[in-house]
């Protein structure tokens, strides 16, 4: 039987302790083969960033991360000149500069001589590479993670389109710098704002939602084996029920794993009321969600009591 082309992708991710769905493996495989950026959207904490880390490790690529935020601009993402270092060199080379300019017969002549030496002070020696430029110039195979692109302004998103189209950057003082190795690019978004159609058109799209019970149980068993099979299933079933409540912030996979580790640290043997009361804040981070969950638990308990009385 012929091997599925996505099997090496799945095997590579699993070897990095990341359990992919068939859809994740397929879209990642296609993005890699078609040399297109991958845009992964979904709620916070479902493993989008972990996917990038795992794929970088699985393919032996260096991971370079650009964390996006409101107000991020080209300077912080691309490059800056190290003016302090340039000033230091200028001071140290003062005698050489004096010699160079000493016999100039006019101010214009001195300026022309100084301009002829500009490349000394505007070279890559003084270029402070930010993540985008670092990924383009990296001599080693690279995976560029542009994390939470939805937090950046629309103007930065438009600038990013140019970079992702050509993988080259023009620095006025140096000319056009092209990628030595075209990096794999993974963008993540938590859907805090709608991204442009232009960006989506250039990317392979992947939505990562909350996992099914069995998928999440497999993740917990792999990441927190000390929890024990019975308690792991109870914990995951409880988290899955929480996600059906109308909460301000549903627990993510990362919070499920944090909770599982907390249960191990507390030597919990079962999910009784005391354990839930002591650890619920590992899963839920809003008071309204805590109150809603406590009411739901109490309602469930009352129904069970009534059922036993009728039975």
């Amino acid at each position: 039987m012929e091997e599925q082309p996505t099997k090496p992708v799945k095997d590579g991710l699993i070897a990095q302790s990341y359990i992919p769905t068939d859809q994740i493996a397929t879209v990642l495989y296609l993005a890699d083969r078609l040399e297109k950026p991958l845009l992964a959207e979904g709620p916070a904490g479902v493993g989008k960033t972990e996917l990038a880390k795992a794929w970088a490790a699985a393919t032996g690529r260096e991971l370079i991360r650009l964390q996006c935020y409101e107000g991020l601009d080209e300077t912080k993402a691309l490059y800056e000149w190290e003016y302090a270092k340039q000033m230091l060199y200028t001071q140290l080379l003062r005698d050489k500069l004096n010699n160079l300019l000493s016999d100039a017969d006019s101010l214009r002549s001195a300026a022309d001589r100084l301009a002829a030496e500009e490349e000394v002070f505007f070279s890559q020696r003084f270029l402070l590479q930010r993540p985008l430029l670092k990924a383009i110039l990296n001599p080693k195979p690279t995976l560029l993670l542009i994390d939470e692109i939805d937090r950046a302004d629309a103007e930065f998103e438009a600038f990013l389109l140019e970079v992702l189209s050509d993988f080259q950057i023009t620095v006025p003082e140096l000319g056009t710098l092209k990628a030595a190795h075209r990096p794999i690019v993974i963008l993540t978004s938590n859907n805090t704002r709608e991204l442009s159609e232009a960006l989506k058109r250039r990317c392979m799209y992947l939505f990562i939602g909350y996992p099914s019970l069995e998928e999440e149980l497999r993740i917990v068993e792999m990441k927190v084996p000390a929890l024990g099979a019975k308690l792991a299933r109870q914990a995951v079933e409880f988290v899955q029920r929480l996600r059906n409540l109308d909460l301000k912030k549903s627990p993510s996979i990362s919070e499920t794993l944090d909770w599982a580790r907390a249960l191990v640290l507390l030597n919990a043997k079962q999910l009784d009321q005391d354990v839930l009361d002591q650890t619920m804040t590992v899963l839920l981070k809003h008071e309204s969600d805590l109150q809603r969950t406590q009411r739901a638990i109490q309602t469930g308990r009352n129904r069970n009591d009534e059922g036993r009385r009728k039975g």
Side-chain angles (χ1 to χ4, degrees), residues 245-272:
L245 299 178
D246 183 21
L247 300 178
K248 188 173 182 179
K249 164 73 172 62
S250 294
S252 65
I253 300 173
S254 61
E255 287 163 327
T256 302
L257 293 173
D258 287 343
W259 190 42
R261 295 184 182 106
L263 295 176
V264 171
L265 289 172
L266 294 172
N267 294 318
K269 304 301 179 189
Q270 60 181 351
L271 288 186
D272 55 30

Side-chain angles (χ1 to χ4, degrees), residues 194-309:
E194 188 71 23
L195 299 177
S196 71
E197 291 299 323
L199 180 64
K200 289 185 174 181
R201 193 167 56 246
R202 285 168 171 77
C203 299
M204 295 293 294
Y205 181 77
L206 174 65
F207 182 83
I208 302 179
Y210 295 118
S212 67
L213 189 151
E214 294 303 325
E215 289 169 347
E216 191 161 23
L217 181 59
R218 194 175 169 199
I219 293 170
V220 170
E221 289 175 341
M222 174 181 281
K223 299 278 189 179
V224 195
L227 186 60
K230 182 179 178 182
L231 187 53
R233 178 169 285 277
Q234 289 178 347
V236 172
E237 288 176 345
F238 183 79
V239 171
Q240 295 269 328
R241 289 199 297 272
L242 285 184
R243 292 190 186 127
N244 291 326
L245 299 178
D246 183 21
L247 300 178
K248 188 173 182 179
K249 164 73 172 62
S250 294
S252 65
I253 300 173
S254 61
E255 287 163 327
T256 302
L257 293 173
D258 287 343
W259 190 42
R261 295 184 182 106
L263 295 176
V264 171
L265 289 172
L266 294 172
N267 294 318
K269 304 301 179 189
Q270 60 181 351
L271 288 186
D272 55 30
Q273 189 59 49
D274 287 342
V275 169
L276 291 175
D277 289 343
Q278 293 167 19
T279 61
M280 194 61 61
T281 53
V282 179
L283 289 171
L284 302 174
K285 310 298 171 59
H286 295 276
E287 185 182 4
S288 59
D289 288 347
L290 288 166
Q291 292 176 352
R292 188 181 296 273
T293 299
Q294 287 166 349
R295 286 197 298 271
I297 292 173
Q298 187 58 49
T299 300
R301 189 176 296 126
N302 292 341
R303 286 175 181 165
N304 291 336
D305 291 342
E306 186 177 353
R308 280 195 291 271
R309 284 196 298 273

Side-chain angles (χ1 to χ4, degrees), residues 106-138:
S106 67
L107 188 60
R108 181 180 297 276
S109 174
D112 289 343
R113 289 189 183 186
L114 195 57
E117 304 297 331
E118 272 186 356
E119 63 181 23
V120 174
F121 296 97
F122 287 98
S123 63
Q124 291 199 36
R125 186 198 307 272
F126 300 103
L127 200 62
L128 184 59
Q129 298 178 14
R130 298 301 187 186
L132 286 181
L133 184 59
K134 188 176 179 183
I136 287 176
L137 298 183
N138 195 353

Side-chain angles (χ1 to χ4, degrees), residues 11-43:
D11 292 345
L13 290 174
I14 291 172
Q16 301 302 320
S17 300
Y18 187 97
I19 300 175
T21 62
D22 290 341
Q23 184 191 30
I24 289 175
T26 300
V27 176
L28 188 57
Y29 168 77
L30 292 174
D32 187 58
R33 295 300 297 270
L34 297 174
E35 296 187 333
K36 291 177 74 74
L38 170 63
L39 170 61
E41 280 193 320

